[in-house]
Amino acid sequence: MEEVYEEGTACAYDCGVSGETPLIYTCTIEGIWIPSGSCDCFSAELPKITGATHSCSNNTYPEDGKCEYLCEVPSEEPLIYTCNQIGHWIRNGSCGVLNCSDTDLPNLPYANHSCTNETYTEDETCLYTCETEGDIPLTYTCLSTGNWEKAGDCAKPCNKSSLTNVTYGYPTCTEEAYAINEECSYTCEVEGTGHVFATCLQSGEWKLTGICGEPIPCSNATLPNELNATHNCKNETYAVGEECAYTCELDGESDLIFVCLPTGIWNKTGTCGEPPVTCPSSTLPTESNANHSCTNATYSVGDQCEYTCEFPGEDDLIFICLDTGLWNQTGACGE
């Protein structure tokens, strides 16, 4: 049963964002709801239009506020959205229609077409002839945006799962099924040493073309010299994936290891610990009218060396060891 309201009954709307006055509908003696006030429109709710953009950047717009779109192909009546009383955007006008170009039709290795017009209008289609027909004919339809939309497809007898690795290489194609004459590329373990691809045949089998080059062994002579670390790897050469572990004077967060890559280059993983920063006493500055008796060879961060001044100043002359390995002066001698 419908709910009935008496004359003068008011119903307030929750706009989310209200206009200058809240939106209220009041029941009249004639049984009609009369609105007063308004809701604002959110710019975030303006639609995205293919082939058109706008620069309406206010967060909200009041009743009768407008946002005009810039069309790639203008029409006689501009495309404008206007905010109505209840906070909804109302569309007026439109953009012009773009034609589709025959040059944008894709060249497919497994199908061809005989569409020879230079341009096509909205809803015109181009039918492809497949090497092996699929369940739905392969067509491209011209959209009002000037783009082609694909429908249907050719049969795809070749499966990615039936591809096998080659010597020093493996397939890197992403689709699960492939049509006749489509290709799947391989990645060689040693980049730049070969090119391999598989071509889909009508039988559903793959035809392999090309080879990958052999991985290059790593030489012991190219193992790098690491500061504060040594190794005992004595083989002249190492195969791909073999490792050489270093012994660190100071342990790091993970072991220092070099791994042989297929390119014949060693790849470093892990690090050694860094020796603590110290300040050499030999770098303590010579001060006129002052001397010190700091005789340790090195000092740790935060250690101090106090000078004795001939003429004392307001503060003692002290040098402090910083974490950069440099001495920092505080205080001074008197003149």
Side-chain angles (χ1 to χ4, degrees), residues 156-226:
K156 297 186 176 183
C158 297
N159 294 316
K160 174 184 174 181
S161 59
S162 62
L163 285 165
T164 58
N165 291 351
V166 298
T167 306
Y168 311 124
Y170 52 91
T172 52
C173 43
T174 56
E175 299 296 328
E176 294 300 323
Y178 290 80
I180 297 169
N181 295 328
E182 278 195 303
E183 296 177 354
C184 170
S185 295
Y186 277 62
T187 295
C188 294
E189 292 180 9
V190 185
E191 186 178 353
T193 61
H195 177 61
V196 177
F197 61 92
T199 306
C200 176
L201 302 179
Q202 190 168 6
S203 62
E205 297 178 342
W206 293 95
K207 177 187 175 182
L208 285 171
T209 304
I211 59 172
C212 288
E214 293 187 28
I216 303 169
C218 297
S219 171
N220 184 301
T222 59
L223 278 165
N225 294 320
E226 289 287 309

Side-chain angles (χ1 to χ4, degrees), residues 113-175:
H113 67 82
S114 56
C115 304
T116 56
N117 295 347
E118 290 186 1
T119 59
Y120 292 79
T121 59
E122 184 179 3
D123 294 332
E124 283 192 301
T125 61
C126 177
L127 176 65
Y128 279 67
T129 302
C130 299
E131 294 283 349
T132 303
E133 295 294 341
D135 294 333
I136 303 175
L138 174 58
T139 60
Y140 280 81
T141 303
C142 178
L143 304 179
S144 62
T145 59
N147 298 320
W148 290 100
E149 182 178 55
K150 178 182 177 182
D153 211 341
C154 298
K156 297 186 176 183
C158 297
N159 294 316
K160 174 184 174 181
S161 59
S162 62
L163 285 165
T164 58
N165 291 351
V166 298
T167 306
Y168 311 124
Y170 52 91
T172 52
C173 43
T174 56
E175 299 296 328

Side-chain angles (χ1 to χ4, degrees), residues 20 27 45 60 69 223 271 312:
E20 292 184 4
C27 181
E45 294 176 352
T60 60
Y69 282 66
L223 278 165
T271 56

Side-chain angles (χ1 to χ4, degrees), residues 38-42 46 60-67 80-92:
S38 65
C39 295
D40 285 350
C41 292
F42 292 93
L46 282 163
T60 60
Y61 286 80
E63 181 184 2
D64 294 328
K66 300 182 185 300
C67 178
I80 297 175
Y81 277 80
T82 304
C83 180
N84 70 6
Q85 189 174 23
I86 61 173
H88 293 169
W89 290 105
I90 303 300
R91 174 173 175 162
N92 293 286

Side-chain angles (χ1 to χ4, degrees), residues 52-113:
T53 58
H54 70 80
S55 57
C56 304
S57 56
N58 294 347
N59 289 330
T60 60
Y61 286 80
E63 181 184 2
D64 294 328
K66 300 182 185 300
C67 178
E68 183 170 353
Y69 282 66
L70 177 64
C71 297
E72 292 180 12
V73 179
S75 63
E76 293 182 2
E77 186 179 3
L79 176 58
I80 297 175
Y81 277 80
T82 304
C83 180
N84 70 6
Q85 189 174 23
I86 61 173
H88 293 169
W89 290 105
I90 303 300
R91 174 173 175 162
N92 293 286
S94 62
C95 291
V97 176
L98 290 170
N99 290 332
C100 298
S101 171
D102 66 330
T103 58
D104 293 330
L105 284 166
N107 293 319
L108 303 175
Y110 52 87
N112 55 70
H113 67 82

